[in-house]
């Protein structure tokens, strides 16, 4: 419900979103979502990070300038930007107005201008730029190979001893002071502060731990911090001071430090990984993949509060807030099958191969002594009895641990009906019920008493209600036992349905987690909440009540939240359907598969948090700390590709004439969970409605008629908050000469003139030929009918290739769609494109190209199944094939025949990038038409499949 409210506010332009927060200081560093980008970068050293006003992230690497907008990483180096003299980028900085400044190792300074880079003049002798900042007054500051440069109103000036700066040294870092001026780290000299034209140098005499200074940062209070060879220090009351909370870092080299927007300080001590000082603690972590043992060179907090970390050799890392926390440990297996909190508050987990473990924040720790007493390390359920003893079910029976840690194992020899145990329930008559693969037994003391009527039943869940009735969840249904009688709980027993979980409600209802979804038993009546509640064959392994009006379920598609009020509306038929809010990998899970099919795969601890076992660790859900990303992401149209050629993204551009294919790439720059970003787009002047692109970042249009268009795209962040304004791009398609209004007007006038002349001639001879006119009229009527029939045939054919044209194809497609909708029959569409045909025309000439197209058309038409199929020229070198009463498998076979037929022509193509002869790429899409679909949807799928075929190397068939 909260997400719905936020989305509604965004749509209605409601109250402004609250300020973005930094990463939660109460979370351990290892509990944030950690993304590691290494192979995506041209080189592994990330020296500097910046974010432009449009939301894009920019990186300085020795392999080039890198641009990132949420999906790909694009490298800009001298190969794509010849004006760039060096691919070794050493610094990036972004002004509030969106200007990006780029410093290089031996090519000076550049300004990002549109899609290009513009060199910026610097004083003589300056080749390398190591740091870039903009001060409060808008002046640009650089640290360079020759010293410090200040650029104000376009004038660059090298500051030296005459300005109070120390003799030339190596400046490692520079930051802007929010009160004005800058701080500069001068290695071996200390720290230089410039303010209002005055320079002050601070060294050990003013409290610096050492004059070997590596890094600088400004915290949220405006205080300057330094990272030195002997730890960090901060500036206060005219000198640098140590913070006693950071005593453990005093002798560490601090190559990088950063102050986030909430006042937390991040440090990267050498060989200690990543540390953070909050208001309450210093937390260090050296276990993140790719950061262990690394040297951090840069840190940056973006507009959403994500922390970006650049390293010396392992590329780029990102820490982001997530809805959920996944906890793992150094265990033989992190596949968690059982979770349980004992009376002492200890949280236990049972794993699939790693035995028992305890949660010791922030990780799982193996319970070595307990595991030594378990007959199997494959744990399935955990429970605590009234005496505080812990019970563990596994694949080799049941183990009971006394409070002193001694263990008693129960197996087949003790009377247990089955070796593999899945479930526990405390017996009101004393002892513990245990559910196994072969039935239920009660264990009291050392006595095991099988429940005879259940012998042979695969039991997965148990619950004894206050009346003494034992509810039994089976792989094959539901049973109840009381007073020696086994029945179906007053229901039909749910035949064929597995029951994995029981959740008794305060009003007496029993909620069931089943292999089909959620169900409820009330007074013997089973109410299924399946498809209408958003469960489409999704097994529910556990049900927890968060005490805030929601059920949380673990499932084979992740962890879901269902508002109990929405379930009540569904139950009263006041709503037809509802959708759970599903959480998965983009929300902090390492694997979206929640484990289950046993008694305790999830648990609500006494502090209100919920714990879910998954295939990779245990997931923590804290309903009170699920931060919502309220920032609508900036949206940008990044690329325009016209007939395969990159074209500048310029509003009002005139494209053509003769444009066949337009591709637009866009990005909504939200980095909390990039995989959860969603898009919709519309081409005004062509699309009647918005198209849902899901997570796709490309829009493709082919064979658009000439005219004026405006492309619009909107994007949402991971919490469904949309930037409705999005981005727009207006452009026009220039018509060919025969498509111009003037040409069409002249043709209309010519037709009218001919008609007028015929009428005049007929009237002139009407009286003299009145009798023979009737006969001539009859003859001409017959001739006209025949001519019309010939014209209709000619109008349906493509003049060049002799096969059907696009108009005929579209007409036949609409007829076939209506017919197949009525019959519920499948149909298919193929879209084919001659590979590298523009290059063929350029190499052989258009006459040869026309001949080749005619030959290809003949090969395609010859490969159809019969007269019911239709092959048509769809435009340029593109063909379309309609296959009535055809499924995807048959359509793929037809497409393969066409592929082989064109290959067999062996038409030489020396300019092809695929083969020495003409080849074909085909996209295949099939559907069973319905009234809720449109013919355009199957055409679009075929076109997308064609695009993937060409992107994968061409000369192949791809089925959507």
């Amino acid at each position: 419900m909260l997400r719905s409210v936020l989305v509604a506010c965004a749509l209605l332009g409601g109250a402004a979103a609250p300020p973005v927060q930094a990463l939660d200081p109460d979370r351990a560093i290892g509990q944030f979502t950690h993304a590691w980008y290494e192979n995506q970068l041209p080189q592994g050293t990330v020296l500097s990070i910046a974010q432009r006003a449009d939301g894009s992230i920019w990186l300085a690497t020795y392999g080039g300038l890198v641009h990132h907008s949420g999906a790909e990483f694009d490298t800009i180096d001298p190969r794509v930007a010849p004006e760039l003299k060096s691919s070794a980028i050493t610094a990036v900085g972004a002004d509030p107005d969106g200007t990006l400044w780029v410093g290089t190792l031996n090519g000076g300074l550049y300004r990002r201008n549109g899609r290009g880079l513009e060199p910026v003049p610097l004083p003589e002798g300056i080749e390398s730029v190591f740091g870039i900042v903009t001060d409060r007054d808008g002046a640009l500051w650089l640290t360079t190979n020759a010293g410090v440069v200040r650029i104000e109103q376009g004038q660059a000036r090298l500051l030296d001893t005459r300005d109070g700066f120390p003799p030339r040294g190596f400046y490692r870092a520079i930051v802007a002071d929010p009160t004005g001026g800058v701080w500069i780290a001068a290695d071996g000299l200390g720290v230089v502060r410039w303010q209002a034209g005055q320079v002050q140098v601070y060294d050990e005499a003013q409290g610096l731990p050492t004059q070997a200074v590596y890094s600088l940062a400004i915290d949220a209070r405006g205080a300057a911090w330094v990272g030195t060879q002997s730890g960090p220090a901060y500036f206060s009351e005219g000198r640098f001071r140590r913070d006693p909370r950071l005593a453990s870092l005093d002798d560490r080299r601090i190559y990088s430090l950063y102050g986030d927007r909430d006042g937390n300080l991040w440090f990267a001590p050498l060989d200690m990984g990543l540390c953070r000082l909050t208001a309450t603690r210093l937390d260090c972590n050296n276990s993140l993949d790719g950061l262990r043992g690394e040297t951090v060179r840069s840190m940056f907090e973006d507009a959403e509060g994500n922390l970006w970390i650049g390293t010396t050799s392992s590329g780029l890392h990102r820490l982001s807030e997530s809805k959920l926390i996944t906890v793992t440990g150094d265990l033989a297996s992190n596949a968690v099958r059982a979770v349980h909190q004992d009376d002492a508050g200890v949280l236990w987990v049972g794993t699939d191969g790693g035995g028992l473990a305890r949660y010791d924040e922030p990780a799982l720790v193996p319970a070595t002594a307990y595991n030594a007493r378990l007959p199997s390390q494959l744990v399935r359920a955990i429970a605590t009895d009234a005496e505080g003893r812990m019970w563990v079910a596994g694949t080799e029976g049941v183990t009971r641990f006394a409070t002193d840690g001694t263990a008693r194992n129960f197996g087949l020899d003790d009377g247990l009906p089955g070796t593999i145990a899945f479930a526990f329930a405390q017996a009101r008559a004393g002892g513990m019920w245990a559910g196994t693969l072969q039935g239920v037994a009660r264990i009291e003391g050392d006595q095991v008493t099988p429940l005879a009527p259940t012998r042979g039943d695969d039991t997965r869940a148990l619950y004894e209600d206050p009346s003494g009735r034992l509810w039994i969840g089976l792989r094959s249904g539901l049973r109840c036992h009381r007073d020696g009688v086994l029945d179906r709980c007053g229901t039909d027993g749910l035949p064929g349905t597995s029951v994995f979980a029981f959740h008794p409600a305060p009003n007496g209802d029993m909620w069931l987690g089943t292999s089909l979804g959620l169900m409820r038993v009330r007074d013997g009546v089973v109410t299924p909440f399946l498809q209408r509640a958003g469960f489409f064959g999704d097994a529910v392994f556990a049900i927890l009540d968060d005490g805030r009006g929601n059920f949380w379920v673990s499932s084979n598609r992740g962890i879901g939240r269902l508002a109990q009020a929405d379930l009540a509306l569904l139950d009263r038929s006041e709503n037809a359907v509802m959708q759970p809010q599903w959480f998965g990998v983009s929300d902090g899970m390492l694997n979206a598969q929640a484990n289950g099919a046993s008694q305790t795969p999830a648990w609500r601890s006494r502090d209100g948090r919920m714990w879910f076992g998954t295939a990779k660790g245990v997931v923590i859900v804290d309903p009170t700390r699920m931060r919502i990303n309220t920032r609508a992401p900036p949206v940008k149209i990044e690329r325009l590709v016209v007939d395969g050629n990159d074209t500048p993204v310029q509003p009002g551009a005139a494209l053509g004439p003769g444009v066949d294919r337009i591709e637009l790439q866009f990005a909504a720059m939200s980095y909390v969970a990039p995989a959860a970003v969603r898009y919709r787009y519309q081409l005004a002047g062509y699309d009647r409605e918005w198209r849902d692109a899901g997570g796709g970042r490309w829009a493709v249009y082919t064979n658009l008629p000439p005219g004026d268009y405006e492309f619009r795209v909107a994007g949402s962040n991971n919490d469904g908050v949309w930037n409705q304004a999005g981005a727009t791009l207006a452009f026009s398609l220039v018509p060919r000469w025969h498509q111009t209004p003037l040409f069409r007007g002249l043709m209309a006038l010519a037709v009218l003139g001919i008609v007028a002349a015929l009428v005049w001639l007929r009237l002139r001879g009407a009286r003299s030929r009145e009798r023979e006119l009737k006969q001539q009229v009859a003859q001409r009527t017959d001739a006209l009918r025949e001519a019309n029939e010939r014209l209709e045939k000619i109008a349906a054919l493509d003049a060049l290739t002799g096969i059907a044209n696009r108009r005929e194809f579209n007409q036949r497609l609409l007829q076939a769609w209506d017919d197949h909708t009525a019959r519920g029959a499948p149909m298919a569409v193929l879209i084919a494109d001659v590979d590298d045909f523009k290059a063929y025309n350029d190499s052989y000439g258009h006459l040869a190209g026309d001949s080749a197209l005619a030959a290809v058309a003949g090969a395609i038409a010859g490969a159809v199944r019969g007269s019911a199929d239709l092959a048509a020229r769809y435009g340029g070198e593109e063909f379309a094939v309609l296959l009535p009463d055809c499924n995807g498998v048959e359509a793929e076979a037809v497409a393969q025949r066409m592929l082989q037929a064109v290959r067999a022509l062996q038409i030489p193509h020396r300019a092809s990038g695929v083969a020495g002869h003409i080849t074909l790429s085909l996209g295949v899409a099939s559907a069973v038409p319905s009234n809720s679909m449109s013919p355009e949807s199957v055409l679009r799928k075929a076109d997308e499949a064609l695009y993937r075929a060409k992107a994968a190397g061409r000369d192949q068939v791809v089925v959507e």
Side-chain angles (χ1 to χ4, degrees), residues 224-250:
W225 285 75
V226 295
T228 76
Q229 187 173 352
S230 299
Y234 69 96
F235 187 78
S236 177
E237 298 178 347
R239 62 182 290 110
F240 282 91
R241 305 174 187 276
R242 295 277 203 176
D243 189 322
R245 297 174 298 172
L246 299 173
S248 60
L249 307 183
D250 281 352

Side-chain angles (χ1 to χ4, degrees), residues 333-637:
S333 169
N334 274 290
V336 176
R337 299 295 296 266
V339 189
H340 176 76
Q341 187 178 39
D342 66 19
D343 295 339
V346 177
L347 192 93
W348 296 86
V349 302
T351 69
D352 207 0
L356 288 171
R358 286 185 294 262
Y359 177 63
D360 185 5
E361 190 173 3
L364 300 178
V365 178
T368 306
Y370 285 82
N371 290 335
R373 296 176 175 86
L374 289 176
S376 168
Q377 302 300 298
L378 302 171
V379 177
R380 294 295 178 266
I382 309 171
T384 303
D385 64 19
E387 298 175 37
R389 297 175 298 186
M390 185 167 68
W391 294 71
V392 179
T395 58
E396 296 296 333
V398 171
T399 301
R400 183 183 65 205
F401 288 99
T403 54
D404 62 1
T406 58
R408 168 70 162 91
N409 294 315
F410 298 89
L412 294 176
D413 293 341
D414 300 287
L416 206 64
T419 305
I420 304 175
F422 294 103
F424 291 123
Q426 243 182 259
R428 296 183 181 277
M432 184 73 74
W433 293 106
T436 76
L437 188 67
Q438 295 294 321
V440 180
R442 185 162 69 94
I443 305 173
E444 186 174 12
D446 290 334
Q447 182 69 37
V448 178
T449 305
L451 198 60
T454 69
R455 196 172 286 279
D457 291 339
D458 185 350
T459 305
R460 297 305 174 111
L462 295 171
Y463 171 73
E464 187 174 353
D465 65 22
S467 70
R469 179 167 60 172
L470 181 66
W471 294 72
I472 305 170
L474 305 176
R475 266 288 187 185
S476 57
L478 174 67
R479 297 293 185 273
C480 283
H481 180 270
R482 183 167 52 187
D483 300 331
V485 177
L486 186 71
D487 59 27
R488 291 180 169 80
C489 311
T491 71
D492 65 353
L494 306 181
T497 302
S498 300
V499 178
F500 298 129
F502 295 113
H503 180 80
N507 65 354
D509 292 346
M510 179 65 76
W511 291 89
L512 310 179
T514 78
S515 55
L516 301 178
L518 196 64
M519 298 186 183
R520 186 195 63 202
V521 180
R522 175 181 290 174
D523 299 328
V525 177
V526 177
T527 302
F529 295 87
L530 307 180
Q531 288 91 341
R532 62 192 183 121
F535 295 99
F536 295 88
D538 306 299
V540 172
F541 300 126
I543 309 168
L544 299 180
D545 189 326
D546 64 6
R548 303 164 67 90
N550 302 296
F551 283 146
W552 291 77
V553 299
S554 65
S555 169
N556 47 12
R557 70 184 279 194
I559 295 171
R561 178 174 63 188
L562 299 91
Q564 295 172 25
D566 289 346
L567 285 169
L569 291 174
L570 204 65
D571 191 33
R572 296 195 298 267
S573 299
E574 294 181 29
N575 280 348
V577 293
M578 65 172 288
Q579 283 294 330
Q581 183 177 356
W582 289 105
F583 299 87
V585 174
S586 63
D587 299 295
M589 298 179 69
L590 298 181
N591 188 301
Q593 173 63 55
N595 280 331
S598 55
Q599 180 74 39
T600 55
W603 194 267
R604 182 185 175 195
S605 55
R606 289 194 288 274
D607 60 8
R609 290 186 291 176
M610 290 170 288
W611 308 72
F612 292 89
T614 75
K616 286 187 179 179
V618 60
V619 171
I620 307 173
V621 177
D622 187 345
T624 66
R625 303 186 68 87
M626 296 189 71
R627 189 180 293 180
I628 303 298
N629 184 1
T630 59
R631 185 176 186 268
V635 180
K636 185 178 180 181
I637 299 170

Side-chain angles (χ1 to χ4, degrees), residues 16-341:
V20 174
Q21 295 175 281
L23 297 176
D24 188 346
D26 292 331
R27 280 196 189 184
I29 292 173
Q31 293 180 347
F32 295 113
T33 295
H34 172 221
W36 179 14
Y37 310 101
E38 181 181 28
N39 297 326
Q40 298 93 325
L41 304 184
Q43 195 270 338
T45 305
V46 180
L47 298 169
S48 180
I49 309 169
Q51 184 175 30
R52 294 182 71 182
D54 65 3
S56 56
I57 298 291
W58 295 83
L59 313 174
T61 79
Y62 286 130
L65 176 66
V66 177
H67 163 251
H68 178 54
S69 55
E72 298 84 8
F73 288 79
D74 302 315
T75 301
I76 302 168
D77 58 22
R79 291 173 295 180
V80 297
E83 64 272 21
L84 195 62
K85 296 179 182 178
S86 171
S87 62
I89 311 299
T90 47
V92 289
D95 282 351
D97 64 1
T99 301
L100 183 75
W101 302 92
V102 181
T104 68
L105 184 61
N106 50 23
L109 179 69
Y110 294 83
R111 178 192 295 112
R112 179 75 172 177
N113 184 15
R115 291 180 62 86
L117 290 168
E118 174 187 339
V120 178
L122 293 178
E124 186 177 354
I126 296 178
E127 296 180 346
S128 301
V129 177
F130 303 112
I132 304 173
V133 297
T134 303
D135 69 17
R136 186 187 64 177
D137 299 322
L140 190 70
W141 291 78
L142 315 174
T143 53
T144 76
N145 61 296
V148 177
V149 173
R150 186 170 188 259
I151 303 177
E152 188 173 21
Q153 295 181 350
Q155 298 299 313
R157 183 167 173 267
L158 180 64
L159 305 177
D160 53 24
T161 54
R162 291 171 297 178
D163 301 287
F165 277 76
R168 176 177 170 182
F170 182 65
Y171 296 101
R172 283 187 175 269
I174 181 170
V175 294
D177 191 320
T179 64
V182 296
W183 294 83
I184 308 168
D187 192 19
L189 298 174
V191 177
V192 179
R193 184 183 190 184
W194 184 97
Q195 190 174 38
Q198 300 297 313
V199 174
Q200 176 72 49
V201 179
Y202 299 91
D203 55 21
E204 293 181 24
Q206 286 80 38
L208 277 178
T210 173
Q211 290 173 201
V213 182
Y214 301 132
S215 53
L216 281 167
I218 303 292
D219 67 17
R221 299 171 301 149
W225 285 75
V226 295
T228 76
Q229 187 173 352
S230 299
Y234 69 96
F235 187 78
S236 177
E237 298 178 347
R239 62 182 290 110
F240 282 91
R241 305 174 187 276
R242 295 277 203 176
D243 189 322
R245 297 174 298 172
L246 299 173
S248 60
L249 307 183
D250 281 352
D251 296 321
R252 297 284 183 169
R253 294 185 180 184
I254 311 295
Y255 281 118
S256 184
L257 56 87
Y258 192 84
D260 67 27
R261 56 172 51 90
D262 287 349
N264 308 301
L265 283 160
W266 296 80
F267 304 90
L270 193 64
D271 299 326
M272 286 185 66
L274 197 61
C275 297
R276 179 180 55 171
L277 178 66
T278 70
T280 59
R281 64 178 177 176
L282 174 68
D283 180 23
C284 292
N285 187 299
N286 197 23
S287 65
L288 296 177
D289 289 343
L291 278 174
R292 190 181 299 110
E294 257 289 1
T295 301
V296 173
R297 302 295 294 273
S298 55
M299 287 191 276
F300 178 79
E301 183 184 36
D302 70 18
E304 289 180 304
N306 305 295
L307 185 71
W308 299 83
I309 303 163
T311 68
T312 295
S313 59
S314 70
L316 180 70
H317 300 255
R318 172 176 52 83
L319 296 182
S320 298
E321 200 76 42
S322 58
K323 299 288 186 301
L324 315 178
I325 299 172
T326 299
V327 178
T328 59
D330 188 13
L331 311 175
S333 169
N334 274 290
V336 176
R337 299 295 296 266
V339 189
H340 176 76
Q341 187 178 39

Side-chain angles (χ1 to χ4, degrees), residues 680-684 686-692 701:
R680 52 175 174 252
Y681 63 84
Q682 181 185 41
L683 185 62
Y686 182 77
D687 291 327
R688 287 176 294 188
E689 297 177 348
W690 285 80
R691 301 189 187 193
D692 185 357
Y701 292 91

